[in-house]
Amino acid sequence: MKIIVVFKGLLAEWMGVARAEFDLPEPARYSDLLRAIARAYRSNMPPQLWREETDGFATPVAALVDGLRLVEGETPLADGQEVMFFLVITGG
């Protein structure tokens, strides 16, 4: 199954791409996508962006699919879905 990933803003710069496609085995879950992203782009990521112990992005990165935030690694993905990743920035 194909999953389309869109990296927004600074994430696109760090990854070196704004958009990528991943071929994942069915049934694919969010955690499968995260592992595929790590394999493809881990060497481009700054150390504070990735947590090796959880095999996922650090807290300030959010993922949206169909307007809903992905949190649980077991969340299933569907063929052709687009997942958008962006930094969550707070301030005042």
Side-chain angles (χ1 to χ4, degrees), residues 2-56:
K2 287 195 186 296
I3 302 296
I4 299 147
V5 171
V6 177
F7 297 111
K8 294 293 197 176
L10 190 55
L11 280 180
E13 290 180 37
W14 284 338
M15 300 301 175
V17 297
R19 188 177 179 88
E21 275 190 23
F22 291 91
D23 288 313
L24 301 176
E26 290 191 43
R29 301 167 307 192
Y30 178 48
S31 60
D32 298 321
L33 177 60
L34 290 176
R35 281 190 292 277
I37 290 170
R39 281 191 303 273
Y41 301 110
R42 179 66 185 104
S43 64
N44 298 355
M45 296 180 203
Q48 70 272 19
L49 185 62
W50 191 259
R51 290 198 176 137
E52 297 293 340
E53 65 275 6
T54 60
D55 225 6

Side-chain angles (χ1 to χ4, degrees), residues 70-87:
L70 289 172
V71 177
E72 298 296 321
E74 296 301 310
T75 302
L77 299 174
D79 188 38
Q81 273 188 317
E82 183 176 280
V83 181
M84 181 175 34
F85 289 90
F86 59 95
L87 288 173

